Amino acid sequence: MRQIVLILAVLAASAPAKAQSWKEFRDPAYSFGVSFPGDPEITTTTYQAADGRAVEARVYSLAEDNAVFKVTIAEIADPALDEKAVIDQAISNLAQGGDIKVNIAHRVGRVFGRQLSIAEADGSRLSAAVFYVNGRLYQIEGKALATGEDATGEAIRFQQSLIFTDRASNRPAGERRGGDRPGRRGPAARPDVDKQQPLQ
């Protein structure tokens, strides 16, 4: 046991300084948190919703030599649009010019969505997840660029760091999908809890 602890301590001490500078960023106004490897830039833009409307969106992004980290929150707020239409539109946008390698059901706490891995035409690798809750689309993207040192691990780490801070849910109380039990995703979460059945 001591040997394992010693090995982990050596690995942690030898990790690049960049890997140790990650910090959690939270925006209470949009009820989410995520870990960035630095301070993100925050901009306002528009997003084309599934019904063709251009809606306001907020983007949190940070670019490095070998990776790009981005969260987009779009104010859809249209009760006529169902969750599946919003999610499908987001996936279609993300996959333009790329090849979807993974597209599985995903959840963070009580918010359900999709998790994606996309190989892009230029050799970049995108790890993404999309959720629709409380009238907002949350889209998180970690992109490992084809140039420079491989940043696939950092891209996945970023995508997996998303949390919702207001105990939000996009399922009726008590609803179970694919054997789900309410809980929050984390290092000790069981795989059969995190990987739910596809959205209907």
Side-chain angles (χ1 to χ4, degrees), residues 42-138:
I42 304 172
T43 57
T44 301
T45 184
T46 57
Y47 177 89
Q48 186 170 346
D51 60 3
R53 289 179 302 127
V55 300
E56 183 176 312
R58 194 169 174 89
V59 177
Y60 308 75
S61 61
L62 176 64
E64 296 188 333
D65 291 341
N66 59 343
V68 178
F69 309 96
K70 182 166 69 170
V71 176
T72 302
I73 302 174
E75 299 280 3
I76 306 292
D78 183 353
L81 280 177
D82 69 13
E83 178 186 347
K84 186 176 186 306
V86 174
I87 296 293
D88 286 350
Q89 171 76 9
I91 291 173
S92 177
N93 291 342
L94 286 167
Q96 285 185 2
D99 184 16
I100 298 177
K101 299 297 185 181
V102 174
N103 180 359
I104 60 174
H106 185 52
R107 78 178 179 108
V108 173
R110 296 178 297 171
V111 180
F112 292 74
R114 304 296 298 180
Q115 178 175 311
L116 308 159
S117 177
I118 300 171
E120 300 194 333
D122 66 357
S124 299
R125 192 85 179 193
L126 183 66
S127 179
V130 289
F131 305 89
Y132 184 51
V133 60
N134 296 334
R136 289 174 175 156
L137 170 73
Y138 289 80

